[in-house]
Amino acid sequence: MADTDAALKTPTDLNRNDTKSVAEALNGILADSFALYLKTKNFHWHVSGPHFRDYHLMLDEQAAQILATTDVIAERVRKTGNTTLRSIGDIARHQTIKDNDAEFVSADKMLAELREDNLKLVELLREAKDIVDEAKDNATSGVLDDWTDQAEERAWFLFETSRKG
C-alpha cells in the first residue's frame, strides 16, 4: 500500500470488505444527490408561470435540504475508511439521476420530473440501508432513515403542489 493510500485509511472496527460496499452505495447516493441538487436549482432558476413565487421558494428550500446532506454522506464514507467523490467528472460517472439540459421545461413537467427523481433517490436509499445494515454500520443506517424521510417528503410536496383543482 502506498503512503498516500495509508494516509486516507481512517481506522474503523467495521469489516473492510463490507465498508467498500457501503462506500460504493454512499458514493452513488452522493453523486445522485449532487445531480438532484443541481437539477432542483436549475428548475428553481428557470421556473415560470402563475405559481412562480411558490414554486421558486419551494425548489430553493428543497435544493438547500439536498445540498445539506452531501457533506454528511461524504463524511460517512470517510468515517468507514474509504474515499469519496473528487470531481464533477466523478459525479457524472456515478450518477443515475439524469440531467435536464432543456432550454425550456414547463413548471408541471419540472415538478413531475423532480418528484420521480426524489422517488428514485428513495429507492437507492432503501437499497443502501440493506447494505449498511448487513455491514453492521449503525451510524450510516440511522442517517439513511433521515435522508429517506426527507426525500419522501420532497416527493410528497412535489406531488401535492402539482395537483390540479
Side-chain angles (χ1 to χ4, degrees):
M1 181 184 316
D3 288 337
T4 55
D5 291 340
L8 293 176
K9 291 291 183 201
T10 306
T12 180
D13 67 329
L14 298 172
N15 178 294
R16 287 285 177 203
N17 289 335
D18 290 343
T19 64
K20 288 200 182 312
S21 297
V22 168
E24 286 173 16
L26 290 178
N27 279 327
I29 289 166
L30 181 60
D32 280 330
S33 295
F34 277 120
L36 183 57
Y37 165 75
L38 191 55
K39 184 187 286 188
T40 304
K41 286 303 280 191
N42 171 31
F43 289 170
H44 157 80
W45 295 321
H46 295 104
V47 70
S48 64
H51 302 287
F52 167 79
R53 187 175 195 290
D54 291 335
Y55 294 173
H56 183 76
L57 294 174
M58 179 183 68
L59 295 176
D60 197 38
E61 289 170 2
Q62 289 193 355
Q65 184 184 61
I66 295 163
L67 185 61
T69 67
T70 59
D71 192 51
V72 182
I73 296 167
E75 288 180 358
R76 281 302 320 148
V77 173
R78 292 290 295 125
K79 289 175 187 174
T80 65
N82 292 282
T83 58
T84 193
L85 305 178
R86 291 184 162 86
S87 66
I88 298 296
D90 213 2
I91 291 167
R93 287 186 290 277
H94 287 87
Q95 79 184 75
T96 61
I97 290 177
K98 302 294 181 215
D99 296 330
N100 186 323
D101 296 325
E103 283 289 318
F104 177 81
V105 180
S106 70
D108 288 345
K109 291 200 185 303
M110 287 178 179
L111 298 180
E113 188 170 332
L114 289 174
R115 181 185 68 243
E116 291 307 311
D117 289 341
N118 276 282
L119 291 174
K120 171 69 174 166
L121 186 60
V122 167
E123 182 182 320
L124 296 170
L125 290 163
R126 290 189 202 289
E127 290 170 7
K129 176 83 170 173
D130 291 339
I131 292 166
V132 302
D133 285 349
E134 185 157 324
K136 297 183 177 11
D137 183 352
N138 298 351
T140 302
S141 184
V143 291
L144 281 168
D145 293 339
D146 293 338
W147 300 332
T148 301
D149 185 56
Q150 290 174 14
E152 287 175 331
E153 183 175 271
R154 289 191 303 269
W156 170 42
F157 275 51
L158 291 159
F159 168 73
E160 290 296 342
T161 301
S162 67
R163 292 177 68 171
K164 305 290 182 228

